[in-house]
């Protein structure tokens, strides 16, 4: 058997996509990888977000790795804590933990002398391939509101929930009604002393019931594992057939889903004043669609107030709106979203010749097929720019991207390729074709959302997710500048040698 070159892979992040990359390498028999994780546990967003009501709004059967079905989900929509337990279990079962450096933040990655040099508090270390899997919505965004720091009570972002603060006795002020805010409201409405919701923009809500799975059903899934695969395929197909198509293709599907949102509001909220407050002035599906079963019921509970007057400022006792009204509060929660354009930053990525990712992305994040960036050899991004995210399970997306990175890693292991970088021309062509497809999407129909980039165009994939999978299944080496290897690269074995480390 031909000797294979040992390719060292660095993965940044041990969340859903970092674990996916690690598992993909493990399945390919590659153990020469290191996962850098700045926290002390795997899970990423599911580790950081622990707010009340946290649930994934994608069916649980579909929100799993295709290679690791989970018969134990308790509900149709998986609760956050179960998802986190699932990722911990996958890390344990696959032996990934021994590759993870917990508590190790990578501050920069610099391509030098044909390798990626990663800087951590321990010094510098070199790898052949860099895979970033730092997550999409990771950096909390706090609102710029006058006096924000002056509030006297506890205040935190939804993704940094302080569980030492008791809730039932509190008058809670919640800013933000996105997917997160609505889940918190659905959970807390009517269970706390007061819940004042500061809503800047109303949201359409698609009704999704969340039934509990019976013990009998779970036992059947254990007994007949094929049922898990059927469930995965069925819910994956349904979700893609309905939501993923409706947002990128005008037509009946979009109209039907929109009507369901409109009727949901009409039938659920009879009070005309409250209904007027909750009626958006843009089309359903334009922002990331909120999927919720209990939101409208929760806002009708005693003690819940929806405030639509703009916030003027925050003071020690509470929030003052533009009409001069002070709402006194004991606790302030910012469900105000994330910096969706951070990607792997603030980590510095520096390519050959000193080109930084910030410079390459001065006009906005751009990638080739969502995974590779012109000017940065052997760099692969999971959940990179224009990935098919939104109302979709991101797990199959990560699997397709990890499979794509693996293809190149295998080429390097086989000694055929030393380095590969997508050309600027191929990257531009790909981005131009996406730009041309954007007008058909619902995201440009006139609403503000974190989907929209600097140029006002969505940083999402404008076609059905299956197309993304197909694009990644068939790499086009012609779109790359490739440094081909000599026929007989020496095989390297064992741990990185002394030359790989600089302290
Ligand atoms: P988001 O969708 O960005 O929503 C932020 C909310 O805060 C919006 O209502 C926004 O109002 C409001 N806001 C921001 N700044 C404000 C200010 N200065 N004053 C008043 N209101 C302000 O954030 P998110 O709800 O955390 O959700 C982010 C994403 O996380 C989702 O879109 C989704 O992709 C993901 N997520 C997924 C799930 C799931 O179940 N799968 C659950 C939660 C979150 P405007 O609308 O006016 O900007």
């Amino acid at each position: 058997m031909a000797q294979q070159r040992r390719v060292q892979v660095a993965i940044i992040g041990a969340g859903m996509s970092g674990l996916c990359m690690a598992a993909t390498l493990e399945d390919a028999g590659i153990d020469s990888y290191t996962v850098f994780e700045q926290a002390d546990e795997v899970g990423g967003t599911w580790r950081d977000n622990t707010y009340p009501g946290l649930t994934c709004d994608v069916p649980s059967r579909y929100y799993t790795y295709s290679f690791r079905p989970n018969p134990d989900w308790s509900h149709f929509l998986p609760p956050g804590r179960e998802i986190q337990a699932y990722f911990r279990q996958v890390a344990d079962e696959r032996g990934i933990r021994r590759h993870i450096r917990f508590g190790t933040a990578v501050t920069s990655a610099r391509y030098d002398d044909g390798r990626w040099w990663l800087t951590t508090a321990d010094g510098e270390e070199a790898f052949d391939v860099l895979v970033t899997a730092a997550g999409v919505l990771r950096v909390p965004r706090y609102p710029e509101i006058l006096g924000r720091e002056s509030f006297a009570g506890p205040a935190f972002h939804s993704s940094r929930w302080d569980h030492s603060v008791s809730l039932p006795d509190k008058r809670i002020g919640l800013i933000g009604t996105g997917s997160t805010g609505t889940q918190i409201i659905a959970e807390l409405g009517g269970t706390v002393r007061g819940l004042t919701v500061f809503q800047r923009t109303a949201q359409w809500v698609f009704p999704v019931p969340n039934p509990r799975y019976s013990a009998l059903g779970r036992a059947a899934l254990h007994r007949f594992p094929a049922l898990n695969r059927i469930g995965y395929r069925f819910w994956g197909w349904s979700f893609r057939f309905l939501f993923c198509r409706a947002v990128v293709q005008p037509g009946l599907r979009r109209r039907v889903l929109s009507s369901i949102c409109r009727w949901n509001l009409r039938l659920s909220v009879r009070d005309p004043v409250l209904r007027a407050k909750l009626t958006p002035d843009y089309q359903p599906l334009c922002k990331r669609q909120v999927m919720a079963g209990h939101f409208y019921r929760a806002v009708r509970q005693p003690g819940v107030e929806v405030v639509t007057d703009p916030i003027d400022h925050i003071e020690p006792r509470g929030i003052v709106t533009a009409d001069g009204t002070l709402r006194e509060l004991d606790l302030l929660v910012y469900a105000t979203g994330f910096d969706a354009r951070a990607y792997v930053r603030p980590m510095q990525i520096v390519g050959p010749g000193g080109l930084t990712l910030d410079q390459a992305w001065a006009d906005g994040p751009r990638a080739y097929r969502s995974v590779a960036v012109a000017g940065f050899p052997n760099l692969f991004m999971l959940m990179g720019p224009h990935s098919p995210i939104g109302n979709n399970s991101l797990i199959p997306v990560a699997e397709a991207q990890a499979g794509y990175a693996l293809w190149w890693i295998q080429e390097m292991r086989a000694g055929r390729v030393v380095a590969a970088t997508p050309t600027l021309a191929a990257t531009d062509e790909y981005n131009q074709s996406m730009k041309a497809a954007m007008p058909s999407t619902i995201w440009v129909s006139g609403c503000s959302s974190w989907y929209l980039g600097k140029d006002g165009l969505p940083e999402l994939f404008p076609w059905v997710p299956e197309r993304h999978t197909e694009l990644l299944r068939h790499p086009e080496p012609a779109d790359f500048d490739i440094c081909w290897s000599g026929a007989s690269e020496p095989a390297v074995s064992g741990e990185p040698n002394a030359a790989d480390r600089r302290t």
Side-chain angles (χ1 to χ4, degrees):
M1 210 174 95
Q3 272 193 319
Q4 292 209 313
R5 194 178 149 234
R6 190 170 170 90
V7 174
Q8 298 287 349
V9 181
I11 303 171
I12 312 285
M16 178 277 287
S17 42
L19 293 178
C20 180
M21 187 71 236
T24 303
L25 292 174
E26 290 279 348
D27 286 352
I30 301 172
D31 68 354
S32 54
Y33 69 92
T34 304
V35 184
F36 292 87
E37 171 54 60
Q38 59 187 3
D40 58 4
E41 183 50 284
V42 302
T45 195
W46 299 107
R47 177 201 60 230
D48 293 345
N49 283 275
T50 57
Y51 59 77
L54 175 68
T55 308
C56 181
D57 56 14
V58 173
S60 48
R61 295 271 165 263
Y62 186 39
Y63 199 80
T64 56
Y65 294 120
S66 61
F67 52 80
R68 175 46 172 95
N70 181 13
D72 294 318
W73 295 121
S74 66
H75 286 76
F76 174 64
L77 304 177
R81 66 176 182 287
E82 285 183 27
I83 301 173
Q84 173 60 358
Y86 170 74
F87 287 131
R88 289 175 59 158
Q89 209 171 347
V90 170
D92 291 339
E93 287 171 1
R94 300 245 153 189
I96 296 170
R97 270 184 200 276
R98 65 198 161 90
H99 292 269
I100 305 179
R101 299 239 193 107
F102 287 110
T104 308
V106 178
T107 51
S108 74
R110 198 167 35 79
Y111 193 79
D112 187 16
D113 210 13
R115 302 191 86 189
W116 281 103
W117 289 88
L118 271 54
T119 305
T120 66
D122 302 327
E124 278 195 316
E125 202 169 327
F127 294 85
D128 302 296
V129 173
L130 175 61
V131 179
T132 67
V136 193
L137 301 167
R138 175 177 50 87
V139 179
R141 197 178 53 201
Y142 292 86
E144 286 175 20
I145 299 174
L146 192 69
R148 187 165 70 75
E149 300 296 337
S150 68
F151 183 63
F156 45 76
H157 190 269
S158 55
S159 66
R160 303 288 182 269
W161 200 274
D162 180 352
H163 290 277
S164 69
V165 178
S166 80
L167 301 177
D169 57 329
K170 297 285 188 301
R171 294 166 300 176
I172 302 173
L174 177 81
I175 304 179
T177 50
S179 298
T180 301
T182 47
Q183 287 188 347
I184 295 172
I185 295 161
E187 182 72 11
L188 295 186
T191 69
V192 293
R193 186 173 159 208
L195 179 61
T196 307
V197 178
F198 295 89
Q199 175 194 274
R200 186 165 69 180
T201 310
Q203 286 273 6
W204 290 108
V205 178
F206 190 89
V208 181
N210 189 16
R212 177 177 269 282
Y213 286 133
S214 68
L216 194 64
R218 292 204 293 271
L221 291 167
H222 275 281
R223 177 78 182 78
F224 305 106
L227 292 176
N228 288 296
R229 287 192 289 279
I230 293 169
Y232 178 85
R233 293 227 175 99
F234 174 75
W235 286 112
W237 175 84
S238 310
F239 218 70
R240 291 192 305 270
F241 179 77
L242 284 174
F243 293 98
C244 300
R245 273 181 172 57
V247 290
V248 295
Q249 295 170 352
L252 182 65
R253 209 180 270 109
R254 188 182 285 179
R255 289 200 297 279
V256 169
L257 294 184
S258 297
S259 298
I260 292 174
C261 291
R262 293 178 198 281
W263 276 104
N264 186 31
L265 175 60
R266 212 166 289 168
L267 296 176
S268 308
V269 184
R270 299 288 183 175
D271 172 1
V273 177
L274 181 58
R275 193 196 295 168
K277 284 182 177 179
L278 296 174
T279 304
D281 59 1
Y282 56 88
Q283 293 188 48
L285 302 167
C286 182
K287 282 174 174 282
R288 184 184 187 274
Q289 185 58 50
V290 169
M291 316 277 209
H294 301 314
F295 172 70
Y296 288 139
R297 195 171 73 196
V299 287
R300 286 186 279 114
Q301 296 299 310
V304 180
E305 183 191 9
V306 178
V307 176
T308 52
D309 283 323
I311 296 172
D312 184 74
H313 66 273
I314 296 176
E315 63 152 81
R317 288 175 298 163
I319 292 184
V320 179
T321 43
D323 61 359
T325 308
L326 164 70
R327 275 152 183 110
E328 294 197 29
L329 304 166
D330 307 308
L331 164 65
L332 202 45
V333 176
Y334 300 108
T336 43
F338 301 85
D339 175 3
R341 263 149 286 284
Y343 294 97
V344 77
R345 294 170 289 184
M347 177 184 149
Q348 275 279 334
I349 298 199
V350 186
L355 176 74
T356 67
L357 195 65
D358 287 337
Q359 287 166 340
W361 284 358
D363 294 329
R366 297 283 174 270
Y368 169 82
R369 298 189 181 184
S370 77
V371 275
V373 183
F376 296 84
N378 294 1
L379 167 69
F380 299 98
M381 291 195 155
L382 304 194
M383 300 302 143
H386 293 96
S387 290
I389 54 176
N391 288 103
N392 188 16
S393 172
L394 303 197
I395 297 185
V397 177
E399 287 184 14
Q401 293 172 332
Y404 186 84
L406 175 67
W407 189 88
W408 284 104
I409 291 167
Q410 295 284 41
E411 289 296 294
M412 293 171 209
R413 274 165 49 88
R416 286 188 283 273
V417 169
V418 173
T421 323
T423 65
L424 196 54
T427 305
D428 283 348
E429 191 185 325
Y430 178 69
N431 279 273
Q432 281 304 326
S433 65
M434 280 195 296
K435 199 171 175 178
M438 286 301 173
S440 299
T441 71
I442 189 77
W443 308 310
V444 294
S445 63
C447 65
S448 70
S449 77
W450 63 263
Y451 287 171
L452 304 179
K454 255 185 179 177
D455 55 4
L457 290 177
E459 282 181 9
L460 298 183
F461 190 72
W463 302 293
V464 293
E466 293 90 325
R467 181 164 174 177
H468 181 257
T469 313
E470 277 305 299
L471 283 172
L472 296 187
R473 192 173 287 152
H474 303 290
E476 296 276 1
D479 287 346
F480 279 70
D481 285 328
I482 296 176
C483 174
W484 300 99
S485 158
S488 54
E489 274 283 317
V492 184
S493 62
E495 287 301 300
N497 60 34
D500 293 324
R501 289 176 190 273
R502 297 177 192 163
T503 44

